[in-house]
mmCIF file of all heavy atoms in Angstrom:
data_model
loop_
_atom_site.group_PDB
_atom_site.id
_atom_site.type_symbol
_atom_site.label_atom_id
_atom_site.label_comp_id
_atom_site.label_asym_id
_atom_site.label_seq_id
_atom_site.Cartn_x
_atom_site.Cartn_y
_atom_site.Cartn_z
ATOM 1 N N LEU A 50 -8.260 -12.088 9.515
ATOM 2 C CA LEU A 50 -7.118 -11.190 9.643
ATOM 3 C C LEU A 50 -6.362 -11.012 8.330
ATOM 4 O O LEU A 50 -6.070 -9.889 7.937
ATOM 5 C CB LEU A 50 -6.183 -11.658 10.755
ATOM 6 C CG LEU A 50 -5.028 -10.723 11.082
ATOM 7 C CD1 LEU A 50 -5.541 -9.326 11.438
ATOM 8 C CD2 LEU A 50 -4.198 -11.271 12.210
ATOM 9 N N PRO A 51 -6.066 -12.090 7.580
ATOM 10 C CA PRO A 51 -5.391 -11.836 6.309
ATOM 11 C C PRO A 51 -6.212 -10.972 5.356
ATOM 12 O O PRO A 51 -5.660 -10.152 4.649
ATOM 13 C CB PRO A 51 -5.170 -13.232 5.729
ATOM 14 C CG PRO A 51 -5.090 -14.093 6.919
ATOM 15 C CD PRO A 51 -6.075 -13.504 7.889
ATOM 16 N N ARG A 52 -7.525 -11.151 5.336
ATOM 17 C CA ARG A 52 -8.337 -10.306 4.460
ATOM 18 C C ARG A 52 -8.277 -8.853 4.890
ATOM 19 O O ARG A 52 -8.213 -7.954 4.062
ATOM 20 C CB ARG A 52 -9.781 -10.793 4.430
ATOM 21 C CG ARG A 52 -9.932 -12.050 3.620
ATOM 22 C CD ARG A 52 -11.358 -12.464 3.502
ATOM 23 N NE ARG A 52 -11.467 -13.634 2.642
ATOM 24 C CZ ARG A 52 -12.571 -14.035 2.077
ATOM 25 N NH1 ARG A 52 -13.691 -13.380 2.272
ATOM 26 N NH2 ARG A 52 -12.577 -15.106 1.312
ATOM 27 N N LYS A 53 -8.276 -8.623 6.190
ATOM 28 C CA LYS A 53 -8.146 -7.254 6.680
ATOM 29 C C LYS A 53 -6.763 -6.698 6.358
ATOM 30 O O LYS A 53 -6.630 -5.537 5.965
ATOM 31 C CB LYS A 53 -8.399 -7.202 8.183
ATOM 32 C CG LYS A 53 -9.841 -7.384 8.556
ATOM 33 C CD LYS A 53 -10.037 -7.322 10.049
ATOM 34 C CE LYS A 53 -11.483 -7.547 10.421
ATOM 35 N NZ LYS A 53 -11.665 -7.547 11.881
ATOM 36 N N MET A 54 -5.732 -7.531 6.514
ATOM 37 C CA MET A 54 -4.379 -7.079 6.200
ATOM 38 C C MET A 54 -4.246 -6.754 4.712
ATOM 39 O O MET A 54 -3.643 -5.745 4.345
ATOM 40 C CB MET A 54 -3.345 -8.148 6.567
ATOM 41 C CG MET A 54 -3.060 -8.223 8.028
ATOM 42 S SD MET A 54 -1.644 -9.265 8.433
ATOM 43 C CE MET A 54 -1.989 -10.783 7.598
ATOM 44 N N VAL A 55 -4.804 -7.614 3.874
ATOM 45 C CA VAL A 55 -4.747 -7.388 2.430
ATOM 46 C C VAL A 55 -5.471 -6.098 2.072
ATOM 47 O O VAL A 55 -4.948 -5.262 1.335
ATOM 48 C CB VAL A 55 -5.349 -8.593 1.668
ATOM 49 C CG1 VAL A 55 -5.594 -8.243 0.215
ATOM 50 C CG2 VAL A 55 -4.448 -9.810 1.793
ATOM 51 N N THR A 56 -6.659 -5.925 2.612
ATOM 52 C CA THR A 56 -7.445 -4.722 2.330
ATOM 53 C C THR A 56 -6.695 -3.474 2.782
ATOM 54 O O THR A 56 -6.595 -2.491 2.041
ATOM 55 C CB THR A 56 -8.817 -4.801 3.003
ATOM 56 O OG1 THR A 56 -9.486 -5.977 2.547
ATOM 57 C CG2 THR A 56 -9.652 -3.576 2.709
ATOM 58 N N GLN A 57 -6.160 -3.520 3.982
ATOM 59 C CA GLN A 57 -5.426 -2.368 4.505
ATOM 60 C C GLN A 57 -4.231 -2.044 3.624
ATOM 61 O O GLN A 57 -3.984 -0.889 3.274
ATOM 62 C CB GLN A 57 -4.974 -2.637 5.943
ATOM 63 C CG GLN A 57 -4.284 -1.469 6.618
ATOM 64 C CD GLN A 57 -2.803 -1.373 6.307
ATOM 65 O OE1 GLN A 57 -2.136 -2.373 6.066
ATOM 66 N NE2 GLN A 57 -2.290 -0.160 6.290
ATOM 67 N N ALA A 58 -3.477 -3.067 3.226
ATOM 68 C CA ALA A 58 -2.286 -2.846 2.414
ATOM 69 C C ALA A 58 -2.639 -2.279 1.037
ATOM 70 O O ALA A 58 -1.993 -1.342 0.558
ATOM 71 C CB ALA A 58 -1.501 -4.148 2.270
ATOM 72 N N VAL A 59 -3.663 -2.841 0.409
ATOM 73 C CA VAL A 59 -4.048 -2.372 -0.927
ATOM 74 C C VAL A 59 -4.554 -0.932 -0.859
ATOM 75 O O VAL A 59 -4.127 -0.074 -1.643
ATOM 76 C CB VAL A 59 -5.105 -3.300 -1.567
ATOM 77 C CG1 VAL A 59 -5.646 -2.701 -2.853
ATOM 78 C CG2 VAL A 59 -4.512 -4.679 -1.833
ATOM 79 N N VAL A 60 -5.438 -0.645 0.065
ATOM 80 C CA VAL A 60 -5.973 0.717 0.188
ATOM 81 C C VAL A 60 -4.847 1.705 0.503
ATOM 82 O O VAL A 60 -4.762 2.782 -0.093
ATOM 83 C CB VAL A 60 -7.096 0.778 1.245
ATOM 84 C CG1 VAL A 60 -7.468 2.211 1.582
ATOM 85 C CG2 VAL A 60 -8.322 0.004 0.756
ATOM 86 N N PHE A 61 -3.968 1.329 1.413
ATOM 87 C CA PHE A 61 -2.853 2.208 1.768
ATOM 88 C C PHE A 61 -1.998 2.529 0.544
ATOM 89 O O PHE A 61 -1.675 3.693 0.280
ATOM 90 C CB PHE A 61 -1.988 1.568 2.861
ATOM 91 C CG PHE A 61 -0.717 2.327 3.121
ATOM 92 C CD1 PHE A 61 -0.728 3.480 3.901
ATOM 93 C CD2 PHE A 61 0.483 1.901 2.571
ATOM 94 C CE1 PHE A 61 0.445 4.194 4.133
ATOM 95 C CE2 PHE A 61 1.655 2.606 2.789
ATOM 96 C CZ PHE A 61 1.641 3.751 3.572
ATOM 97 N N HIS A 62 -1.625 1.504 -0.224
ATOM 98 C CA HIS A 62 -0.722 1.739 -1.353
ATOM 99 C C HIS A 62 -1.407 2.459 -2.515
ATOM 100 O O HIS A 62 -0.758 3.247 -3.213
ATOM 101 C CB HIS A 62 -0.073 0.431 -1.799
ATOM 102 C CG HIS A 62 1.010 -0.005 -0.857
ATOM 103 N ND1 HIS A 62 2.237 0.595 -0.810
ATOM 104 C CD2 HIS A 62 1.020 -0.945 0.110
ATOM 105 C CE1 HIS A 62 2.966 0.035 0.125
ATOM 106 N NE2 HIS A 62 2.254 -0.906 0.708
ATOM 107 N N ILE A 63 -2.697 2.204 -2.717
ATOM 108 C CA ILE A 63 -3.425 2.962 -3.743
ATOM 109 C C ILE A 63 -3.497 4.435 -3.337
ATOM 110 O O ILE A 63 -3.264 5.335 -4.146
ATOM 111 C CB ILE A 63 -4.832 2.380 -3.986
ATOM 112 C CG1 ILE A 63 -4.724 1.022 -4.691
ATOM 113 C CG2 ILE A 63 -5.686 3.343 -4.814
ATOM 114 C CD1 ILE A 63 -6.051 0.277 -4.781
ATOM 115 N N TRP A 64 -3.800 4.674 -2.080
ATOM 116 C CA TRP A 64 -3.896 6.059 -1.592
ATOM 117 C C TRP A 64 -2.534 6.748 -1.620
ATOM 118 O O TRP A 64 -2.415 7.922 -1.991
ATOM 119 C CB TRP A 64 -4.490 6.082 -0.188
ATOM 120 C CG TRP A 64 -5.006 7.432 0.154
ATOM 121 C CD1 TRP A 64 -4.423 8.359 0.955
ATOM 122 C CD2 TRP A 64 -6.207 8.031 -0.333
ATOM 123 N NE1 TRP A 64 -5.189 9.496 1.009
ATOM 124 C CE2 TRP A 64 -6.298 9.322 0.224
ATOM 125 C CE3 TRP A 64 -7.222 7.598 -1.185
ATOM 126 C CZ2 TRP A 64 -7.357 10.173 -0.039
ATOM 127 C CZ3 TRP A 64 -8.268 8.458 -1.436
ATOM 128 C CH2 TRP A 64 -8.331 9.719 -0.867
ATOM 129 N N LYS A 65 -1.497 6.012 -1.255
ATOM 130 C CA LYS A 65 -0.137 6.560 -1.289
ATOM 131 C C LYS A 65 0.242 6.936 -2.730
ATOM 132 O O LYS A 65 0.840 7.995 -2.964
ATOM 133 C CB LYS A 65 0.838 5.524 -0.730
ATOM 134 C CG LYS A 65 2.255 5.990 -0.645
ATOM 135 C CD LYS A 65 3.118 4.898 -0.021
ATOM 136 C CE LYS A 65 4.576 5.267 -0.093
ATOM 137 N NZ LYS A 65 5.433 4.187 0.405
ATOM 138 N N GLN A 66 -0.125 6.096 -3.680
ATOM 139 C CA GLN A 66 0.154 6.392 -5.088
ATOM 140 C C GLN A 66 -0.628 7.606 -5.556
ATOM 141 O O GLN A 66 -0.110 8.457 -6.274
ATOM 142 C CB GLN A 66 -0.167 5.168 -5.958
ATOM 143 C CG GLN A 66 -0.029 5.410 -7.439
ATOM 144 C CD GLN A 66 1.361 5.852 -7.855
ATOM 145 O OE1 GLN A 66 2.355 5.529 -7.225
ATOM 146 N NE2 GLN A 66 1.436 6.627 -8.922
ATOM 147 N N ARG A 67 -1.873 7.697 -5.137
ATOM 148 C CA ARG A 67 -2.699 8.861 -5.476
ATOM 149 C C ARG A 67 -2.028 10.139 -4.984
ATOM 150 O O ARG A 67 -1.907 11.120 -5.725
ATOM 151 C CB ARG A 67 -4.084 8.717 -4.847
ATOM 152 C CG ARG A 67 -4.952 9.957 -4.981
ATOM 153 C CD ARG A 67 -5.817 10.085 -3.719
ATOM 154 N NE ARG A 67 -6.535 11.329 -3.710
ATOM 155 C CZ ARG A 67 -6.155 12.417 -3.029
ATOM 156 N NH1 ARG A 67 -5.052 12.418 -2.324
ATOM 157 N NH2 ARG A 67 -6.879 13.504 -3.056
ATOM 158 N N ASN A 68 -1.564 10.125 -3.733
ATOM 159 C CA ASN A 68 -0.899 11.299 -3.176
ATOM 160 C C ASN A 68 0.408 11.599 -3.898
ATOM 161 O O ASN A 68 0.747 12.766 -4.116
ATOM 162 C CB ASN A 68 -0.649 11.115 -1.682
ATOM 163 C CG ASN A 68 -1.915 11.236 -0.881
ATOM 164 O OD1 ASN A 68 -2.930 11.739 -1.365
ATOM 165 N ND2 ASN A 68 -1.887 10.746 0.344
ATOM 166 N N SER A 69 1.122 10.566 -4.278
ATOM 167 C CA SER A 69 2.376 10.757 -5.003
ATOM 168 C C SER A 69 2.134 11.424 -6.356
ATOM 169 O O SER A 69 2.894 12.306 -6.766
ATOM 170 C CB SER A 69 3.071 9.403 -5.194
ATOM 171 O OG SER A 69 4.272 9.558 -5.877
ATOM 172 N N VAL A 70 1.083 11.017 -7.027
ATOM 173 C CA VAL A 70 0.751 11.630 -8.313
ATOM 174 C C VAL A 70 0.332 13.085 -8.118
ATOM 175 O O VAL A 70 0.776 13.980 -8.853
ATOM 176 C CB VAL A 70 -0.360 10.835 -9.031
ATOM 177 C CG1 VAL A 70 -0.899 11.603 -10.219
ATOM 178 C CG2 VAL A 70 0.161 9.467 -9.475
ATOM 179 N N LEU A 71 -0.502 13.338 -7.121
ATOM 180 C CA LEU A 71 -0.996 14.701 -6.894
ATOM 181 C C LEU A 71 0.086 15.658 -6.414
ATOM 182 O O LEU A 71 0.140 16.811 -6.846
ATOM 183 C CB LEU A 71 -2.136 14.687 -5.875
ATOM 184 C CG LEU A 71 -3.470 14.142 -6.347
ATOM 185 C CD1 LEU A 71 -4.460 14.105 -5.193
ATOM 186 C CD2 LEU A 71 -4.025 14.974 -7.487
ATOM 187 N N HIS A 72 0.945 15.195 -5.512
ATOM 188 C CA HIS A 72 1.876 16.113 -4.870
ATOM 189 C C HIS A 72 3.284 16.098 -5.474
ATOM 190 O O HIS A 72 4.001 17.093 -5.391
ATOM 191 C CB HIS A 72 1.963 15.819 -3.377
ATOM 192 C CG HIS A 72 0.642 15.945 -2.682
ATOM 193 N ND1 HIS A 72 -0.022 17.140 -2.557
ATOM 194 C CD2 HIS A 72 -0.164 15.012 -2.105
ATOM 195 C CE1 HIS A 72 -1.170 16.950 -1.924
ATOM 196 N NE2 HIS A 72 -1.284 15.665 -1.644
ATOM 197 N N ASN A 73 3.684 14.957 -6.038
ATOM 198 C CA ASN A 73 5.052 14.848 -6.563
ATOM 199 C C ASN A 73 5.095 14.617 -8.066
ATOM 200 O O ASN A 73 6.176 14.546 -8.638
ATOM 201 C CB ASN A 73 5.805 13.714 -5.867
ATOM 202 C CG ASN A 73 5.844 13.894 -4.377
ATOM 203 O OD1 ASN A 73 5.942 15.011 -3.889
ATOM 204 N ND2 ASN A 73 5.755 12.801 -3.647
ATOM 205 N N ASN A 74 3.928 14.429 -8.649
ATOM 206 C CA ASN A 74 3.827 14.168 -10.083
ATOM 207 C C ASN A 74 4.649 12.939 -10.497
ATOM 208 O O ASN A 74 5.267 12.919 -11.554
ATOM 209 C CB ASN A 74 4.238 15.397 -10.889
ATOM 210 C CG ASN A 74 3.625 15.389 -12.270
ATOM 211 O OD1 ASN A 74 2.594 14.771 -12.493
ATOM 212 N ND2 ASN A 74 4.265 16.072 -13.190
ATOM 213 N N THR A 75 4.685 11.925 -9.621
ATOM 214 C CA THR A 75 5.383 10.678 -9.937
ATOM 215 C C THR A 75 4.385 9.532 -9.884
ATOM 216 O O THR A 75 3.512 9.490 -9.022
ATOM 217 C CB THR A 75 6.525 10.396 -8.954
ATOM 218 O OG1 THR A 75 5.998 10.329 -7.636
ATOM 219 C CG2 THR A 75 7.607 11.435 -9.035
ATOM 220 N N SER A 76 4.542 8.608 -10.804
ATOM 221 C CA SER A 76 3.604 7.505 -10.902
ATOM 222 C C SER A 76 4.354 6.181 -10.977
ATOM 223 O O SER A 76 5.402 6.088 -11.613
ATOM 224 C CB SER A 76 2.734 7.678 -12.146
ATOM 225 O OG SER A 76 1.814 6.626 -12.251
ATOM 226 N N LEU A 77 3.816 5.171 -10.316
ATOM 227 C CA LEU A 77 4.355 3.819 -10.382
ATOM 228 C C LEU A 77 3.369 2.933 -11.130
ATOM 229 O O LEU A 77 2.165 3.184 -11.121
ATOM 230 C CB LEU A 77 4.564 3.260 -8.968
ATOM 231 C CG LEU A 77 5.541 4.012 -8.076
ATOM 232 C CD1 LEU A 77 5.519 3.426 -6.659
ATOM 233 C CD2 LEU A 77 6.940 3.952 -8.649
ATOM 234 N N THR A 78 3.874 1.896 -11.751
ATOM 235 C CA THR A 78 2.987 0.972 -12.450
ATOM 236 C C THR A 78 2.217 0.140 -11.438
ATOM 237 O O THR A 78 2.633 -0.003 -10.279
ATOM 238 C CB THR A 78 3.787 0.022 -13.370
ATOM 239 O OG1 THR A 78 4.611 -0.817 -12.556
ATOM 240 C CG2 THR A 78 4.624 0.796 -14.366
ATOM 241 N N THR A 79 1.110 -0.425 -11.881
ATOM 242 C CA THR A 79 0.324 -1.290 -10.991
ATOM 243 C C THR A 79 1.137 -2.512 -10.582
ATOM 244 O O THR A 79 1.020 -2.984 -9.454
ATOM 245 C CB THR A 79 -0.992 -1.728 -11.659
ATOM 246 O OG1 THR A 79 -0.706 -2.370 -12.905
ATOM 247 C CG2 THR A 79 -1.910 -0.543 -11.881
#
Side-chain angles (χ1 to χ4, degrees):
L50 186 56
R52 286 185 176 198
K53 287 180 182 177
M54 283 190 308
V55 167
T56 303
Q57 184 276 330
V59 172
V60 169
F61 171 79
H62 284 285
I63 290 171
W64 199 257
K65 183 178 172 184
Q66 175 59 28
R67 172 215 173 261
N68 286 344
S69 180
V70 169
L71 287 176
H72 301 294
N73 303 324
N74 204 24
T75 58
S76 180
L77 299 174
T78 65
T79 56

